[in-house]
Amino acid sequence: MQIRIEVVEAFIRLNSVIAVQRFFRQGHRHRVPERRTIVRWVQGTWKSGKQEIVTTPRTVRTPENVNRARAEMQRSPQRSERRHSLTIQISWR
């Protein structure tokens, strides 16, 4: 969580994803976040208007959710898992 806040603060200060990655390569022992990760964290912070990170809530793997997903996959097997999850409103991970 702390690294996310540092990334967002660095982006606000530097106003560039590449500059943020360079900054983290120089002085941190953490892995450098990918471009889309930085963008997602910054957009989440701007949406919430707070210094906290907004994430999509994950759904629980219950027998009911498993059966719903299985039925949806059998109904149209050509569609991707991600599109099926959007249809039945559960996390695709």
Side-chain angles (χ1 to χ4, degrees):
M1 185 65 127
Q2 182 64 29
I3 187 109
R4 291 180 181 188
I5 293 171
E6 290 179 32
V7 166
V8 171
E9 289 174 348
F11 182 82
I12 290 169
R13 194 172 57 249
L14 301 170
N15 202 26
S16 166
V17 173
I18 295 172
V20 171
Q21 290 175 326
R22 288 179 184 156
F23 172 74
F24 272 83
R25 277 191 199 103
Q26 291 173 356
H28 289 77
R29 294 183 181 168
H30 303 288
R31 288 180 34 205
V32 177
E34 292 182 5
R35 178 193 162 281
R36 60 185 178 184
T37 303
I38 294 171
V39 170
R40 187 177 66 235
W41 289 348
V42 170
Q43 286 176 346
T45 303
W46 283 342
K47 283 181 186 175
S48 69
K50 300 176 183 175
Q51 201 60 13
E52 63 186 40
I53 304 303
V54 177
T55 58
T56 305
R58 302 251 174 135
T59 54
V60 179
R61 185 177 180 149
T62 62
E64 178 185 320
N65 285 344
V66 170
N67 290 335
R68 286 173 50 204
R70 185 175 290 131
E72 188 69 25
M73 292 289 277
Q74 288 174 349
R75 193 170 341 151
S76 54
Q78 290 80 21
R79 290 176 65 193
S80 69
E81 291 178 13
R82 188 171 188 172
R83 291 200 186 246
H84 284 299
S85 69
L86 290 172
T87 304
I88 56 179
Q89 298 179 344
I90 61 173
S91 174
W92 67 281
R93 293 183 183 176

